[in-house]
Amino acid sequence: MLNQLQREILELKKDKNAIILAHNYQRKEIQEIADFIGDSLELCIKASELDDVDLVVFCGVDFMAETAYILNPDKKILIPDRGAECPMAHMLSADDVRAARKRYPDAAVVLYVNTLAEAKAEADILCTSANAVKVVESLDEELVLFGPDRNLAWYVQQHTDKRIIPIPENGYCYVHKMFTPGDVMARKEEYPDAEVLIHPECDPEVQEMADHILSTGGILRRVLESESESFIIGTEVDMTTRLGLESDKETIPLLSEAICENMKLHTLEKVKNSLINEEFAVTVPDDIAERAIRAVKRMIEVS
Ligand code: 13P
Ligand code: SF4
């Protein structure tokens, strides 16, 4: 049952011909009113297919809204709180990418979508945690500069014969860094029959304890398709909210403190404000968007 504020937002959305896109880490009350909820890749693909809408309210972090703008420069892309930045995306500048290319002129540059638009403009192709191995395998080059997440780079290296060089050397997500092997052991003791599903942004020692290493969209599919009834979820805590909306199975956060504060900046009040005042518009300078779109589209084709 939706509350008054949620119903007002749905009305406003209709009046403004708007759509609400939300990442799997959003608060429950936002997930409940979203038109589409997904992982980074699913949101990117959805953003590439927006036809008859005038406004997009993006409940996610900056790089996601920027990618939606790059794919839809004619539409208004709004973010309810403009402070919703992904710290990891800010760990790799366009200058860093150019410097790495100089050092390794024969390498391909694969960047995680968790990057700023200016860095995307320097990439050959993007990837997400859902398609990183496939993207790397699609390239002719045997040497790949991969950033900014070092743990995802490690995961890809386990699944390819190509040589992966992380750029920067130690990019990371502060949320997924919180998990330790001790946390996995403790949860496994509490729930011995549960499947352990871990996101590839986690440290290698944690990934090594997983039954499956998956993107957030992959985690949802696994929960729906697996015969298990219980799952330990090694990613941001609100992933279990999404799973709870889609399934009755038992899903236990690996660590209830694993909260992405940046994602949580969006609230229902701010979503309403965003629709009423059509703020805060996310844009990318034309010259950067024109270069970045090649890498975005190339990733979508490979996916
Ligand atoms: P996915 O939803 O693509 O798995 O990524 C997780 C994440 O941390 C996004 O910032
Ligand atoms: Fe960025 Fe980590 Fe938050 Fe994802 S969970 S948005 S990678 S800080």
Side-chain angles (χ1 to χ4, degrees):
M1 179 79 168
L2 298 183
N3 66 32
Q4 174 67 20
L5 187 49
Q6 287 174 311
R7 286 198 299 274
E8 282 171 30
I9 290 171
L10 293 187
E11 274 306 306
L12 274 167
K13 196 162 64 85
K14 226 187 286 160
D15 294 347
K16 296 265 184 170
N17 191 26
I19 186 173
I20 298 178
L21 303 183
H23 186 264
N24 288 322
Y25 299 161
Q26 287 298 300
R27 298 166 186 276
K28 182 167 190 243
E29 58 272 25
I30 289 183
Q31 294 196 24
E32 284 170 345
I33 49 142
D35 295 278
F36 184 83
I37 317 168
D39 70 9
S40 312
L41 179 62
E42 292 158 348
L43 287 164
C44 217
I45 292 172
K46 185 73 190 172
S48 72
E49 295 165 347
L50 300 174
D51 292 329
D52 295 335
V53 293
D54 297 319
L55 281 186
V56 179
V57 179
F58 210 116
C59 298
V61 280
D62 53 353
F63 73 82
M64 297 175 176
E66 282 181 358
T67 308
Y69 175 82
I70 290 168
L71 288 163
N72 301 279
D74 56 328
K75 292 196 184 358
K76 239 188 191 171
I77 311 292
L78 306 173
I79 193 157
D81 188 315
R82 67 172 134 218
E85 297 183 338
C86 169
M88 179 162 67
H90 292 258
M91 290 177 189
L92 185 70
S93 69
D95 279 347
D96 297 335
V97 182
R98 282 191 288 264
R101 259 201 204 278
K102 258 198 193 142
R103 246 177 296 132
Y104 298 98
D106 297 331
V109 176
V110 178
L111 296 188
Y112 197 17
V113 283
N114 301 40
T115 45
L116 305 176
E118 56 167 63
K120 286 185 173 77
E122 303 295 328
D124 292 310
I125 187 166
L126 302 186
C127 75
T128 74
S129 52
N131 63 11
V133 175
K134 201 168 172 186
V135 164
V136 165
E137 287 293 305
S138 75
L139 302 169
D140 293 332
E141 292 86 345
E142 288 301 316
L143 188 61
V144 176
L145 300 172
F146 189 103
D149 189 45
R150 190 189 172 92
N151 289 341
L152 183 60
W154 180 86
Y155 170 79
V156 174
Q157 187 63 86
Q158 309 311 301
H159 293 87
T160 181
D161 292 332
K162 294 178 194 265
R163 184 172 159 224
I164 308 292
I165 300 174
I167 54 165
E169 231 174 84
N170 200 17
Y172 65 92
C173 160
Y174 74 96
V175 182
H176 291 84
K177 266 268 172 235
M178 290 182 200
F179 303 117
T180 65
D183 296 327
V184 183
M185 250 143 58
R187 278 292 195 239
K188 275 173 86 147
E189 263 172 39
E190 277 179 87
Y191 301 93
D193 298 329
E195 257 185 44
V196 179
L197 308 182
I198 297 287
H199 196 277
E201 285 178 15
C202 294
D203 282 341
E205 316 79 271
V206 175
Q207 292 191 39
E208 277 166 346
M209 298 177 79
D211 291 314
H212 298 279
I213 302 166
L214 298 160
S215 71
T216 61
I219 289 175
L220 172 59
R221 279 188 293 281
R222 179 67 201 166
V223 167
L224 295 176
E225 287 162 12
S226 167
E227 294 195 343
S228 301
E229 284 300 319
S230 177
F231 302 84
I232 295 165
I233 306 298
T235 189
E236 209 269 349
V237 71
D238 265 313
M239 185 62 215
T240 55
T241 300
R242 175 77 207 278
L243 296 170
L245 293 178
E246 307 291 338
S247 159
D248 291 333
K249 294 185 179 176
E250 181 181 39
T251 58
I252 307 116
L254 176 52
L255 200 63
S256 39
E257 294 84 4
I259 297 169
C260 178
E261 300 292 350
N262 313 69
M263 287 274 186
K264 299 301 181 272
L265 285 173
H266 304 311
T267 59
L268 282 180
E269 286 77 10
K270 290 178 193 172
V271 172
K272 181 178 168 187
N273 175 65
S274 188
L275 282 163
I276 293 176
N277 297 316
E278 301 192 11
E279 60 189 18
F280 299 94
V282 175
T283 57
V284 173
D286 287 351
D287 57 324
I288 291 178
E290 277 160 24
R291 285 188 295 133
I293 198 164
R294 282 176 293 144
V296 179
K297 285 199 166 158
R298 196 171 163 197
M299 170 185 77
I300 293 174
E301 275 160 31
V302 169
S303 309

